[in-house]
Amino acid sequence: MTDAFHILGENRPSRFLITCDHATNRVPAAVNGGDLGISADDMARHIAYDPGAAGLTAALAQALDAPAILSNFCRLVIDPNRGADDPTLVMKLYDGTLIPANRHVTPAQVDARRDSLYTPYHQAYARLAAGRPDTVIVAVHSFTPCLKGRCPRPWDIGILHAPQDGRLSRAFLAHLNAEPDLCVGDNEPYLGHLPGDAIDRHALQMGRHNTLIELRNDLIMTEDAQTAWANRLAPMLIAALHEVEKET
């Protein structure tokens, strides 16, 4: 483990690579003494990381016998799922919470965070993805059941995909939609792809099969729930990939 990332099962044989861009709410000591100036309650919210996503990533990687890479820094420090020049790379306000340590952040401080955290994470991500010619990227995220002042979100799970290549996601969605107990979102609860984001950078631009999973975070708060979801999703991913490649 480094300040920037954590790799699980690097030598596992699967062609799947499981990624978790928002795995933790950890603030490195080099960033404002390890404190962003917001409350412990806010640091435990979705604004700081994706609750449950790290555990689901580990469980899904285990179920697929696949490697995984997880970020090791809070998304409010610098967001690894944004392009390097994205204006939301370092958020100053998120879902009603002002981030004091970011309010007057200087370009030099952003550069330091980028150099020590963002860039090493993406370098390790790129190295793992290039480890074989047929890598398939599965990005794991979680979403909050309700944003402040908004209507509750009905979906249990959402699958996000970009117009450039939604083949694996569409096949995966077909399997999920066949499950009568699931409320499934197709590019819900939001459109998840932006130019330069992690999937664009490591999958779309490289011509790799990919999908992005968003699970409602209250459904994956325990290890048992994470394992159950992983064991449910893994066979669907395998089947979806087989169907896509059978067609080509």
Side-chain angles (χ1 to χ4, degrees):
M1 183 183 294
T2 72
D3 266 0
F5 59 87
H6 182 202
I7 293 174
L8 302 175
E10 182 167 358
N11 296 317
R12 289 174 181 162
S14 174
R15 60 187 289 200
F16 285 102
L17 171 61
I18 316 304
T19 70
C20 190
D21 298 327
H22 301 146
T24 179
N25 58 5
R26 173 181 172 271
V27 180
V31 177
N32 204 50
D35 186 352
L36 295 175
I38 64 176
S39 70
D41 285 346
D42 273 331
M43 285 299 293
R45 295 176 61 216
H46 71 100
I47 65 170
Y49 74 124
D50 283 355
L56 177 62
T57 297
L60 186 58
Q62 185 73 39
L64 291 167
D65 202 15
I69 182 167
L70 302 88
S71 67
N72 196 29
F73 53 93
C74 175
R75 68 191 298 178
L76 295 176
V77 170
I78 190 166
D79 193 335
N81 193 34
R82 293 290 183 270
D85 58 353
D86 191 297
T88 64
L89 187 64
V90 176
M91 294 286 282
K92 299 181 179 183
L93 177 71
Y94 195 176
D95 196 22
T97 296
L98 182 69
I99 318 302
N102 293 347
R103 188 174 182 185
H104 301 296
V105 68
T106 67
Q109 289 170 330
V110 173
D111 286 344
R113 298 182 193 186
R114 185 187 290 113
D115 291 346
S116 63
L117 300 168
Y118 179 97
T119 297
Y121 172 75
H122 282 288
Q123 287 174 337
Y125 190 148
R127 179 179 61 80
L128 287 173
R132 53 185 298 162
D134 58 353
T135 295
V136 178
I137 294 176
V138 178
V140 174
H141 292 257
S142 71
F143 66 92
T144 186
C146 188
L147 292 170
K148 286 186 175 180
R150 305 284 186 88
C151 295
R153 292 162 160 172
W155 306 282
D156 301 307
I157 185 171
I159 303 302
L160 309 189
H161 50 96
Q164 299 96 306
D165 187 0
R167 291 172 295 169
L168 181 60
S169 292
R170 288 191 293 269
F172 189 25
L173 278 163
H175 286 273
L176 288 165
N177 283 321
E179 301 285 308
D181 62 322
L182 293 183
C183 180
V184 180
D186 182 348
N187 273 331
E188 298 287 0
Y190 32 72
L191 295 175
H193 291 296
L194 297 168
D197 69 10
I199 286 288
D200 181 47
R201 180 173 182 169
H202 298 287
L204 296 173
Q205 292 182 24
M206 308 301 289
R208 295 180 176 121
H209 286 305
N210 66 91
T211 193
L212 191 153
I213 298 170
E214 285 274 4
L215 258 161
R216 207 176 71 220
N217 62 31
D218 60 324
L219 301 178
I220 51 170
M221 296 307 291
T222 67
E223 185 176 348
D224 285 349
Q226 293 156 7
T227 299
W229 272 102
N231 290 338
R232 186 176 191 178
L233 296 177
M236 297 186 199
L237 283 164
I238 293 168
L241 179 61
H242 176 73
E243 290 158 10
V244 167
E245 296 204 320
K246 189 176 172 183
E247 293 174 359
T248 59

